Amino acid sequence: MTKDRVLVIDDDADQCALLEAALGGLGYEVETAVTADASIDRAVKGEFDAIVTDLGMGGYSGVEMCERLVGARPGTPVIVVTGLSKMETAISAMRAGAYDYLVKPIDGKVLGISVARAIKHRKLESEVTRLREAVVESRTSSEIIGSSPSMRRVNDLIARVAPSDATVLIAGETGTGKELVARAIHSASERSEGPFVAINCAAVPASLLESELFGHAKGAFTDAKATRTGLFVRASGGTLFLDEIGEMPLDMQAKLLRALQEHVVRPVGSDQEISFDARIVAATHRDLEAEVAAGRFRQDLFFRIHVVRIDVPPLRERGNDVLKLATHFLGALSSGANREAVSLTTPVAQRLLAYDWPGNVRELENCLEHAIALAQFSEITVEDLPERVRVFRPESHPFLGESEEEIISLAELERRYIARVLRLVDGNKSRAAQLLGLDRRTLYRRLDREREENARAEAKASGNGASSHATAPNHIRHSESRP
């Protein structure tokens, strides 16, 4: 990995050497300059991620020095070093474009923090500039935006499974873009010229779901004034997307299973069976294995649709994809609002990256639509963001100790981390086990053990030595409610 490069400027050779040693010890590649002219020349000819300069360089005032460096390397953060007697000069240098200032004598830890922040700021600004200048091409609805490792895995699975007719189950939190994945599978398949038919099983009343899927004969019920073709048959030659299949009633699951096994449907009120030729792609935000264990989803249907599984990651696990998606949405939403394209600022990008997006991609789009409606300029500002994003502060090491001084055991660290992951996935134990790299049964055993230990501790604290009596009910409750 290439090291970040820092230019250190000071006409005191000893001070230069001290700063070089401190930054070199932190892993930076350091170059030094001891005259004003040499430093400007180095800044122009070299590629640096940050510049640390003393303001007392001969031949230039502090402000002039800062202005020349900022002009020589636009976008490279300049950190100025000054004595207490020259604070006004440091403030003037900040106005001239300096990123930060440090007061002599310099503490090595403070120097390291300042340089790290400056470089992080520079890289974020570069990413925002790149996205701002990129041409936002028109995209089809089936294209998936993102290049994070988790999304590369999703795209790889799409490419591998699309050419076949295998049934696919897409799992992921609400708002992650499961339908986009389904459309991408359809678009990359040999059925792409055929229809893509989608239905949200949670949005259709149970009494009408069978008619929607299988169709109905004329007179089958009061409002059936004409024969209606169901979605299975309408999707022939293409793809049928069954969204939120986990919400389907049990009696309808049995009928769906037969249709998938026999590739025929019987319209409501008809005694004739109709064959269909549609690929089935299903999606759910639920843990279907847990639903099977709870008796709310048929195991045989689960195995029928769980041929190939694609897990769509939540937005909080996708890193800089947030900025790529934001840039895309800003272009599309600006066009839809009949206004000039609006772009991101670096402070806004920082807030978007810090927020945890419980509503995922759908919430991000809503956030940017809100910002565009309020934006008064050609750039989104922090004040244009919804309050929940504007004021959000991420937890700092929530699974570690309450303070840096607290020492905890590895077992306690593991317990807190598992609890943190379970919160992040809304209690979905299968998803948590996958993220933790554990077998699902192993995770259940650890949760069982934790409950038993807690029960014994409570019994001991209450003076009840018969810990087994206190443990059993807790363990049974967990087993009964276990997904």
Side-chain angles (χ1 to χ4, degrees):
M1 182 182 293
T2 305
K3 292 182 178 181
D4 292 321
R5 303 183 72 239
V6 181
L7 175 62
V8 172
I9 303 167
D10 200 305
D11 55 6
D12 182 337
D14 291 338
Q15 180 71 3
C16 242
L18 286 172
L19 294 177
E20 180 180 13
L23 292 171
L26 294 172
Y28 296 107
E29 183 180 330
V30 184
E31 285 192 26
T32 61
V34 294
T35 67
D37 291 333
S39 65
I40 300 298
D41 184 63
R42 289 278 184 89
V44 170
K45 294 180 180 178
E47 287 290 335
F48 298 99
D49 297 288
I51 298 173
V52 179
T53 180
D54 185 76
L55 286 183
M57 298 297 292
Y60 295 104
S61 70
V63 173
E64 287 174 334
M65 188 66 190
C66 186
E67 286 177 340
R68 288 178 68 86
L69 288 170
V70 171
R73 300 300 308 175
T76 301
V78 177
I79 301 169
V80 298
V81 178
T82 184
L84 282 171
S85 62
K86 296 182 179 179
M87 286 300 293
E88 290 185 4
T89 305
I91 293 170
S92 297
M94 295 285 287
R95 290 173 181 158
Y99 173 78
D100 196 4
Y101 71 88
L102 301 174
V103 179
K104 296 179 181 178
I106 298 174
D107 179 272
K109 184 176 181 180
V110 174
L111 173 66
I113 291 172
S114 180
V115 170
R117 285 178 177 169
I119 292 175
K120 182 178 179 181
H121 178 82
R122 175 183 180 272
K123 290 179 178 178
L124 183 56
E125 276 203 326
S126 297
E127 176 69 4
V128 170
T129 300
R130 186 186 69 78
L131 291 170
R132 186 183 297 153
E133 293 175 350
V135 178
V136 182
E137 300 175 352
S138 59
R139 303 174 184 270
T140 64
S141 61
S142 63
E143 287 185 319
I144 298 173
I145 300 168
S147 57
S148 61
S150 56
M151 287 309 295
R152 286 201 297 270
R153 287 193 293 272
V154 169
N155 282 316
D156 177 62
L157 279 171
I158 290 171
R160 290 162 62 188
V161 75
S164 73
D165 262 352
T167 303
V168 179
L169 176 64
I170 304 169
E173 296 176 11
T174 299
T176 50
K178 296 187 289 294
E179 183 168 344
L180 286 179
V181 173
R183 289 184 181 275
I185 292 170
H186 173 74
S187 296
S189 74
E190 296 180 358
R191 296 174 172 268
S192 58
E193 298 299 320
F196 178 87
V197 179
I199 181 172
N200 186 328
C201 299
V204 180
S207 59
L208 298 179
L209 188 56
E210 182 178 1
S211 173
E212 283 293 312
L213 291 175
F214 302 155
H216 62 252
K218 181 180 179 180
F221 46 85
T222 304
D223 294 326
K225 297 178 180 179
T227 298
R228 179 186 174 94
T229 303
L231 299 185
F232 270 89
V233 175
R234 278 191 251 170
S236 287
T239 302
L240 176 61
F241 176 51
L242 302 174
D243 197 8
E244 296 301 350
I245 194 170
E247 311 305 312
M248 185 176 287
L250 275 170
D251 60 338
M252 189 62 215
Q253 291 177 29
K255 296 174 182 178
L256 174 62
L257 175 64
R258 182 179 182 279
L260 297 181
Q261 289 174 330
E262 306 297 331
H263 288 276
V264 296
V265 294
R266 178 177 294 172
V268 177
S270 172
D271 56 5
Q272 298 295 316
E273 292 187 334
I274 305 173
S275 63
F276 66 89
D277 175 30
R279 180 186 195 161
I280 306 302
V281 178
T284 182
H285 74 280
R286 293 189 180 276
D287 180 349
L288 287 190
E289 289 175 292
E291 295 296 294
V292 169
R296 292 187 292 267
F297 199 85
R298 293 179 63 104
Q299 185 179 57
D300 45 9
L301 178 58
F302 171 74
F303 288 126
R304 175 62 62 177
I305 63 173
H306 194 273
V307 178
V308 177
R309 176 178 174 133
I310 297 178
D311 287 288
V312 185
L315 189 54
R316 62 181 169 272
E317 295 177 10
R318 293 178 56 181
N320 278 355
D321 282 357
V322 172
L323 301 185
K324 292 182 175 68
L325 285 161
T327 302
H328 167 71
F329 287 140
L330 285 177
L333 293 169
S334 297
S335 176
N338 294 318
R339 63 172 293 166
E340 187 178 342
V342 178
S343 59
L344 296 174
T345 59
T346 300
V348 168
Q350 291 172 328
R351 298 299 173 93
L352 297 183
L353 288 171
Y355 188 61
D356 64 359
W357 302 109
N360 294 295
V361 179
R362 191 175 297 151
E363 184 184 7
L364 174 62
E365 184 175 14
N366 174 274
C367 164
L368 294 170
E369 188 171 7
H370 175 281
I372 286 175
L374 297 183
Q376 298 177 336
F377 310 103
S378 61
E379 293 181 329
I380 297 292
T381 66
V382 171
E383 289 69 29
D384 298 325
L385 297 173
E387 184 180 8
R388 65 183 184 278
V389 180
R390 209 169 54 237
V391 304
F392 179 79
R393 294 290 182 273
E395 295 180 24
S396 177
H397 306 297
F399 54 89
L400 298 178
E402 296 300 322
S403 68
E404 292 184 3
E405 290 73 27
E406 182 186 0
I407 303 298
I408 60 177
S409 67
L410 285 175
E412 176 64 10
L413 177 63
E414 178 188 86
R415 186 194 69 77
R416 295 187 189 185
Y417 188 63
I418 289 174
R420 166 67 172 167
V421 172
L422 281 168
R423 284 198 300 272
L424 288 176
V425 297
D426 295 326
N428 185 324
K429 295 182 179 62
S430 293
R431 179 69 175 146
Q434 183 182 34
L435 290 173
L436 290 163
L438 298 175
D439 177 81
R440 195 161 60 96
R441 292 182 179 179
T442 301
L443 177 60
Y444 282 140
R445 283 197 297 271
R446 293 190 184 187
L447 294 174
D448 277 336
R449 186 173 66 238
E450 180 187 333
R451 283 175 175 263
E452 290 169 358
E453 289 172 354
N454 289 341
R456 281 195 292 269
E458 289 174 7
K460 185 176 181 181
S462 63
N464 183 357
S467 60
S468 60
H469 296 296
T471 300
N474 281 279
H475 179 72
I476 292 171
R477 282 198 296 272
H478 178 65
S479 299
E480 291 175 345
S481 62
R482 178 189 298 170

